[in-house]
Amino acid sequence: MTQQQPAASTIDRGTAIVLAAGADDASRRLLVSPLGDSTVAELAVATVRKMFSPDRIIVVVAAGDTTLRALLGDDLTYVEQTEPLGTGHAVGVARAAVPADTDVVLVAYADTPLLRVDSLRGVVNRHQLKGADFSLLTAVVDQPLPYGRIERDEAGRVRAIVEVEDLDADEAAIHEINVGAYVAAPSDLFAQIDALAATGEHRLTKIAQRFLDADDVIVSYQIYDTDEVQGINSEAELALAADIVLKRLFVPTKNTDTSIVFGTGGWRAVIGEGYTLGNLRRLCQAIANEATRKGIDHQGVVVGGDRRFLSRESAVAAAEVFAGNNISVLLLPDDVPTPLVTFAAPYTGSAYGIIITSSHNPPEWNGVKVFRADGSLPLDDETDRFQDEANALRVDEVITLDIHLARKAGMVVDRALTEPYIDAIEKIVDVEAVRGSDLRVIVDPMYGTSQLTLGTILNDMRVRAEFIHGAHNPLFGGHAPAPDLQRLSSLIGMIENGKGTYDLGMATDGDSDRIGIVDETGEYISTNDLLLLLFWYLHEVRGEKGGVVRNIATTHLLDRLARHFGEESREVKVGFKHVTAGMEEIGAVLGGESSGGLTIRGWILGKDGIFACALVVEMLAVTGKRISELRSMIYEITGRLYTLEAGVPSTPEMRVAVPRRLAADPLTAVGPYAVVGIDHTDGTKILLENDNWALLRFSGTEPVLRMFVEADSPEKAQELLDWLKGFVTA
């Protein structure tokens, strides 16, 4: 197995003794049972490795045991307990293996694998700071567990540990338990073990009691996350531990866990926590390593940033890493839209396009999107390699070249690609057809990056365009720059107050890859309806034959329209990389998602809100119809379905409980409506009659459980959404 490296902050003169001999064969089998992507014993030892270097970790195993040695690695020290006399005896057999310069010993159990490193470090730290003779971990729990109880005196000092079998009625009501991790100087610890052994007793808790009886300085460190105390002494407890491990995977990263994790739209994290320049540099080093291994490093990379806080500094930092790895960089000046970088990768023949952005996330977030040479998003196996290698890199393994030297050497070249991007759009969108249409539109870029590019295109079309919220504001007006109904009140209000002044309202999100539309009356037009209009327009007016691809959360009316045209429709997982892959597979003319992203055949392999806005303007000019008129016409073909969606904060417990409840109690009906199928491809999609459906899906970019429904009537849609909410909160 791959050896784990010790943490940089190991306890220099400390030694850990991990008890893994087990009381019998059954307990030893549990130690090697799978838990998460590891085993019980591996998980316990992995935590200890974060505090102690391998040569100062002693694992006590049963006589003749080879399985644990193979699992845990040969860089640790192993001693055998030849007969199972007790936990104190197990610690005693490790005596000869403890390095002579050890000044503190931590004793931990391999069958308590959920202890966090902060808890173990906390008890060791308090022991040393307070000059204690003996220290132990405790926890206050609200359920009966088979642990000894902690008795304290009036001053709050620990005075006794009462074993479960010795509890009387009053003691059984005590909620503070002895977790079973201890710290002491080796000479004191082994002296007490010897003294107790002389009485024929070998339990470690009795040794702890000897320290208490001697009136030594005793320190306790309390655990507040009671999930940590879950021991593994039965299959049932193993199942409970597995739930806890799974739940922890979804806990938002905090100051001690700032790993880089890719979601459906790149890597995103809170600035100053997960998103740091240090993490960014490690990620860019991993991408540079991948390019070098694949032999595409000579192609160079394109790097740009949006208007978020730290985006410009991040773009420069990224450029320094690639230049430091002898990979040339085309650095886009100022702020740029994400679709421009998507376009730039194939346009310049670069190995990768890198954009610093967190898309529509709230202002305190930032992140990175990576595009391949053809402008497509990497699939999961590739982003997994990026994040895994980045997380394994140390700071001193990142190679950089100062930006001034890089520019002087020609390794970093500043170059704007706004004009080539606009020219490429205007080769596909019929600019001439729009001229003379006398259209007047209002645009809300939501303080994002679309004003220059979209403004230029609209000007070339001779469209009278008015922009709002165009200033550079990293706070985005105090809310997430997502072009949905709740955040476009200013745009809607201006159209309503204009009383026929405007033909169309358009919005783009923070990095301009999503679109929002408001019709001439001020009604917000869902992306589901917009996709229907554009599919009809492309197929029937522009004569571009082909099918349509949508994600699992997008309207089934697209399927109905495709059947009407005699074309294929395809449903894919959430994530635009899946949409573009599906488009290529069936030769689709349009691909989109209900959250505001779309592209067409022949354009970039990613969503583009700027291009989408230009195409909508073309559609209005060429057809001579308003959005409201086009919708009525399309509904005559497809009929109506009504969509609703909602989201609730997703706790780690929900991530475990909701899928389990769905699996344990297969649905046959949602209220009075019969279930005709269940799809677990991406979340859980409940299929009902007549293209009605309901979807539960945990977001890949935010800690949110999303709920989507589509039904024959608004009332039925609300009924389905209420049912989903009730199911989730039950």
Side-chain angles (χ1 to χ4, degrees):
M1 61 174 284
T2 301
Q3 300 302 329
Q4 301 181 41
Q5 295 300 314
S9 56
T10 54
I11 300 170
D12 293 334
R13 296 180 63 186
T15 296
I17 300 174
V18 181
L19 304 185
D24 50 34
D25 290 341
S27 62
R28 286 187 282 273
R29 281 194 298 272
L30 286 170
L31 290 179
V32 297
S33 296
L35 183 57
D37 58 0
S38 184
T39 64
V40 172
E42 283 180 288
L43 196 57
V45 171
T47 303
V48 175
R49 282 180 178 271
K50 296 175 182 177
M51 295 175 58
F52 299 88
S53 60
D55 61 338
R56 303 186 81 96
I57 299 175
I58 303 166
V59 182
V60 181
V61 298
D65 180 279
T66 58
T67 304
L68 280 174
R69 299 171 196 250
L71 277 175
L72 302 178
D74 57 10
D75 58 339
L76 307 180
T77 300
Y78 297 89
V79 297
E80 293 187 356
Q81 185 183 20
T82 56
E83 50 183 332
L85 294 180
T87 50
H89 176 263
V91 174
V93 301
R95 181 193 326 238
V98 174
D101 64 345
T102 298
D103 58 14
V104 64
V105 170
L106 168 69
V107 178
Y109 289 85
D111 62 2
T112 312
L114 300 180
L115 291 174
R116 297 181 187 272
V117 67
D118 285 343
S119 298
L120 293 181
R121 195 180 293 280
V123 69
V124 173
N125 189 53
R126 284 179 67 82
H127 177 87
Q128 294 177 316
L129 291 175
K130 289 183 172 291
D133 296 299
F134 182 78
S135 300
L136 69 162
L137 274 180
T138 74
V140 175
V141 297
D142 57 3
Q143 56 183 317
L145 291 173
Y147 291 84
R149 303 299 197 271
I150 299 295
E151 284 191 349
R152 294 181 181 269
D153 62 18
E154 293 180 356
R157 293 185 295 259
V158 178
R159 280 305 178 207
I161 302 172
V162 185
E163 296 281 19
V164 173
E165 59 268 23
D166 299 329
L167 293 174
D168 60 27
D170 291 336
E171 292 163 337
I174 298 173
H175 292 286
E176 187 175 12
I177 62 172
N178 172 34
V179 174
Y182 307 106
V183 182
S187 58
D188 295 339
L189 179 61
F190 293 121
Q192 293 290 10
I193 288 175
D194 291 342
L196 187 65
T199 70
E201 176 63 70
H202 299 282
R203 285 181 293 176
L204 199 51
T205 48
K206 295 298 183 181
I207 295 168
Q209 188 62 54
R210 290 185 64 86
F211 279 99
L212 297 173
D213 293 342
D215 204 29
D216 288 336
V217 178
I218 308 299
V219 167
S220 64
Y221 179 87
Q222 184 175 333
I223 293 174
Y224 293 94
D225 176 6
T226 54
D227 281 348
E228 293 187 54
V229 308
Q230 180 62 60
I232 313 294
N233 298 295
S234 67
E235 292 292 340
E237 290 181 342
L238 180 62
L240 290 173
D243 285 351
I244 294 169
V245 170
L246 179 61
K247 183 173 66 176
R248 285 180 177 180
L249 292 176
F250 302 106
V251 174
T253 55
K254 295 297 182 184
N255 56 358
T256 57
D257 181 11
T258 55
S259 300
I260 297 166
V261 179
F262 274 73
T264 53
W267 164 54
R268 305 177 193 182
V270 174
I271 296 169
E273 191 170 279
Y275 187 86
T276 64
L277 292 180
N279 265 353
L280 170 73
R281 292 186 181 102
R282 291 196 297 153
L283 176 57
C284 290
Q285 182 66 53
I287 298 170
N289 290 348
E290 180 79 352
T292 302
R293 278 192 295 265
K294 294 171 67 174
I296 57 175
D297 49 311
H298 63 282
Q299 297 174 226
V301 297
V302 179
V303 177
D306 69 0
R307 285 183 159 186
R308 286 180 178 270
F309 178 68
L310 274 186
S311 284
R312 176 46 32 185
E313 294 85 351
S314 296
V316 170
E320 291 180 326
V321 173
F322 288 110
N325 284 271
N326 281 187
I327 298 175
S328 61
V329 180
L330 195 161
L331 183 59
L332 302 173
D334 304 318
D335 53 78
V336 294
T338 287
L340 190 152
V341 176
T342 312
F343 160 83
Y347 177 76
T348 61
S350 297
Y352 293 106
I354 312 291
I355 176 74
I356 311 298
T357 182
S358 191
S359 189
H360 60 285
N361 280 57
E364 64 268 24
W365 291 66
N366 210 332
V368 176
K369 293 181 181 179
V370 182
F371 298 96
R372 296 188 292 198
D374 62 356
S376 64
L377 286 166
L379 296 179
D380 294 343
D381 60 341
E382 192 168 356
T383 56
D384 285 349
R385 290 199 300 275
F386 290 157
Q387 71 184 32
D388 292 347
E389 182 166 359
N391 289 326
L393 286 170
R394 300 190 307 271
V395 173
D396 58 6
E397 293 177 309
V398 176
I399 307 166
T400 63
L401 179 65
D402 181 82
I403 189 66
H404 302 294
L405 289 174
R407 284 182 167 128
K408 184 177 180 180
M411 289 301 297
V412 173
V413 175
D414 298 272
R415 178 185 171 192
L417 293 177
T418 302
E419 289 192 13
Y421 170 70
I422 291 172
D423 291 344
I425 290 177
E426 293 184 352
K427 287 179 181 178
I428 299 177
V429 175
D430 194 342
V431 173
E432 292 297 330
V434 181
R435 291 179 177 177
S437 62
D438 200 33
L439 288 172
R440 184 169 183 181
V441 304
I442 183 168
V443 183
D444 185 356
M446 306 193 80
Y447 302 103
T449 57
S450 69
Q451 186 167 352
L452 174 59
T453 49
L454 182 55
T456 302
I457 294 168
L458 293 174
N459 184 63
D460 290 346
M461 291 175 162
R462 306 296 188 265
V463 170
R464 290 179 293 165
E466 182 178 344
F467 281 78
I468 62 174
H469 302 149
H472 185 175
N473 180 356
L475 295 179
F476 300 106
H479 54 71
D484 52 34
L485 174 61
Q486 294 74 24
R487 295 178 177 89
L488 294 182
S489 57
S490 295
L491 181 64
I492 291 169
M494 292 184 70
I495 292 176
E496 289 177 339
N497 295 333
K499 300 186 184 302
T501 302
Y502 302 102
D503 300 292
L504 177 69
M506 302 186 293
T508 52
D509 71 340
D511 69 330
S512 307
D513 64 356
R514 298 188 184 204
I515 183 175
I517 293 293
V518 178
D519 75 6
E520 75 282 359
T521 69
E523 181 178 355
Y524 176 79
I525 306 301
S526 71
T527 308
N528 282 323
D529 279 356
L530 179 60
L531 289 169
L532 277 174
L533 301 184
L534 290 176
F535 186 27
W536 170 85
Y537 175 70
L538 292 167
H539 197 277
E540 297 296 280
V541 179
R542 291 186 55 154
E544 298 184 22
K545 306 306 179 184
V548 66
V549 175
R550 58 168 179 80
N551 74 16
I552 198 166
T554 301
T555 180
H556 285 207
L557 288 179
L558 285 168
D559 303 34
R560 291 184 181 180
L561 190 56
R563 287 194 296 270
H564 174 78
F565 291 151
E567 302 283 8
E568 184 177 356
S569 61
R570 175 73 61 87
E571 179 178 271
V572 298
K573 295 195 299 183
V574 172
F576 212 78
K577 55 192 172 186
H578 302 298
V579 172
T580 55
M583 290 177 68
E584 185 176 357
E585 289 173 7
I586 69 170
V589 66
L590 174 71
E593 55 188 15
S594 61
S595 57
L598 64 92
T599 193
I600 72 169
R601 185 175 57 211
W603 187 226
I604 60 175
L605 298 179
K607 52 194 173 187
D608 188 343
I610 296 165
F611 175 86
C613 286
L615 187 61
V616 171
V617 170
E618 179 199 312
M619 177 176 67
L620 295 188
V622 171
T623 63
K625 296 181 181 295
R626 303 287 186 95
I627 291 287
S628 59
E629 296 173 313
L630 290 171
R631 288 175 79 203
S632 297
M633 182 189 65
I634 297 298
Y635 292 151
E636 289 295 320
I637 300 172
T638 63
R640 286 296 304 266
L641 290 173
Y642 299 85
T643 57
L644 288 175
E645 62 180 88
V648 296
S650 64
T651 64
E653 289 82 3
M654 287 167 60
R655 295 231 183 204
V656 176
V658 170
R660 175 169 292 167
R661 288 175 55 209
L662 287 166
D665 186 18
L667 293 172
T668 58
V670 173
Y673 308 110
V675 172
V676 299
I678 301 285
D679 185 350
H680 295 292
T681 301
D682 189 5
T684 297
K685 189 168 187 176
I686 305 164
L687 304 174
L688 310 173
E689 295 175 340
N690 196 35
D691 291 323
N692 290 205
W693 52 271
L695 172 66
L696 283 169
R697 181 184 176 276
F698 290 97
S699 171
T701 57
E702 302 169 272
V704 174
L705 173 59
R706 301 200 185 282
M707 293 169 276
F708 304 84
V709 300
E710 188 165 42
D712 301 317
S713 68
E715 295 78 16
K716 185 176 178 181
Q718 187 62 57
E719 190 178 353
L720 294 177
L721 188 62
D722 289 343
W723 185 92
L724 286 182
K725 291 178 179 177
F727 179 85
V728 167
T729 58

